[in-house]
Amino acid sequence: MKRFNTYILLLLMTFLNNKYLISQEIDFGSYSSQYSVILSEVNPGSALDFGIIIDQAGETTAIDIQDSKVFSIEGVEYLDVFVEIIADSHLLLDDDPNNQNDPTRRLPLNLRAAYANLGQDNTDHAINFLVVGSTANALFPIRNKGGNTPPGPPPTPVFEGYNPSLYNDTAYLYIYPTVTTTGNLVSGSYMGTINISVSYD
């Protein structure tokens, strides 16, 4: 049995503010350039690491959601954010792009992700992303006030001296993929990249 190390080498974060209007709809994310959204690692420097696994055909190794890579998304609590996660389809031996088309030097990566927006870093509150292929996306408010709570008043219009950070809250993002061994992999370290983008809708 061959053993090899697998881990996600890099999680690349991008921070975006979309600034456009939709007809007949007020887009508060575009109302002022003062709005910001910040994506941060909850445990900086930690990686998604599958550890040493045995290459058996069709065997799936999963990272549990309790052991996931956790990010915080800080932004204006009443605004919706659109989160898109794009992962490599395979982890590559030695992170070498020349191995992309070699089935003995690439390990299939299956993306899984979830978010929690009840104000706590709690996987019991997690809601799964829709995942299609190697892309996951979700649209949700920074803070969910609860399904039985009536809508709040409209957001305070921006005025001189307005401080949107007074209305900030935090949602949490969990990434916990799986890999599936093929039975004919070359031993070594397999690495890949996951990209995350966050913007106000």
Side-chain angles (χ1 to χ4, degrees):
M1 296 265 180
K2 296 180 294 249
R3 297 172 182 267
F4 50 93
N5 293 315
T6 57
Y7 59 95
I8 306 298
L9 177 67
L10 174 67
L11 289 157
L12 177 63
M13 298 172 290
T14 55
F15 316 102
L16 303 174
N17 270 323
N18 285 345
K19 298 178 180 176
Y20 51 82
L21 294 177
I22 299 173
S23 178
Q24 306 298 322
E25 180 178 328
I26 299 174
D27 184 350
F28 290 105
S30 304
Y31 193 73
S32 170
S33 61
Q34 295 183 60
Y35 293 133
S36 64
V37 61
I38 300 171
L39 179 66
S40 304
E41 295 179 75
V42 172
N43 295 306
S46 64
L48 283 167
D49 191 342
F50 291 91
I52 297 175
I53 60 178
I54 298 174
D55 184 21
Q56 294 179 320
E59 188 75 17
T60 296
T61 301
I63 291 177
D64 192 79
I65 191 170
Q66 281 79 23
D67 300 317
S68 61
K69 179 68 179 181
V70 184
F71 293 88
S72 63
I73 304 173
E74 182 182 354
V76 181
E77 63 179 8
Y78 50 75
L79 296 181
D80 289 345
V81 288
F82 178 74
V83 179
E84 183 176 61
I85 305 167
I86 301 175
D88 290 344
S89 59
H90 295 83
L91 303 182
L92 302 180
L93 178 65
D94 297 327
D95 201 28
D96 184 349
N98 293 321
N99 292 329
Q100 181 65 50
N101 296 316
D102 186 343
T104 68
R105 288 173 168 81
R106 67 181 190 183
L107 178 62
L109 176 68
N110 309 296
L111 179 62
R112 297 190 301 171
Y115 69 89
N117 63 342
L118 295 179
Q120 296 177 337
D121 176 6
N122 188 336
T123 56
D124 290 339
H125 301 160
I127 299 171
N128 291 329
F129 275 64
L130 173 66
V131 179
V132 178
S134 297
T135 301
N137 56 63
L139 176 68
F140 54 90
I142 291 287
R143 179 64 184 272
N144 185 347
K145 300 296 186 180
N148 296 324
T149 303
T156 303
V158 175
F159 56 87
E160 185 176 353
Y162 172 71
N163 183 3
S165 66
L166 297 176
Y167 302 93
N168 276 7
D169 212 321
T170 303
Y172 294 90
L173 173 63
Y174 307 99
I175 299 177
Y176 54 109
T178 69
V179 291
T180 303
T181 50
T182 62
N184 62 346
L185 293 168
V186 174
S187 298
S189 294
Y190 287 74
M191 302 168 235
T193 301
I194 296 175
N195 298 286
I196 307 168
S197 64
V198 181
S199 60
Y200 286 122
D201 181 60

